[in-house]
Amino acid sequence: VGLGIVPDNAMARMFRDRVAETPDAEAYRYPAAEGWASVTWAETGETVTTLAAGLIGALGYRAIVRRWG
């Protein structure tokens, strides 16, 4: 179920492609104690995977499909 503009999984696919194509490139920066800290696409991909696994574990796959599917 989506808006009919783009496939429902398009954003996830673009994210996974970006991580795979440029894992060592900088994804973003954030303020740190000594200036700015940099996070790569590979690190961002690992964080997203961990967060997604935690949500699936906490909510259950069926609950997520029911909510978004």
Side-chain angles (χ1 to χ4, degrees), residues 12-60:
R13 185 178 305 126
M14 287 189 302
F15 178 79
R16 287 191 311 265
D17 290 349
R18 179 62 183 243
V19 171
E21 291 169 7
T22 59
D24 297 324
E26 182 179 84
Y28 63 92
R29 291 180 181 203
Y30 63 91
E34 297 180 20
W36 292 86
S38 180
V39 179
T40 66
W41 281 105
E43 293 167 324
T44 303
E46 290 174 20
T47 300
V48 168
T49 299
T50 301
L51 289 171
L55 286 172
I56 290 171
L59 301 176

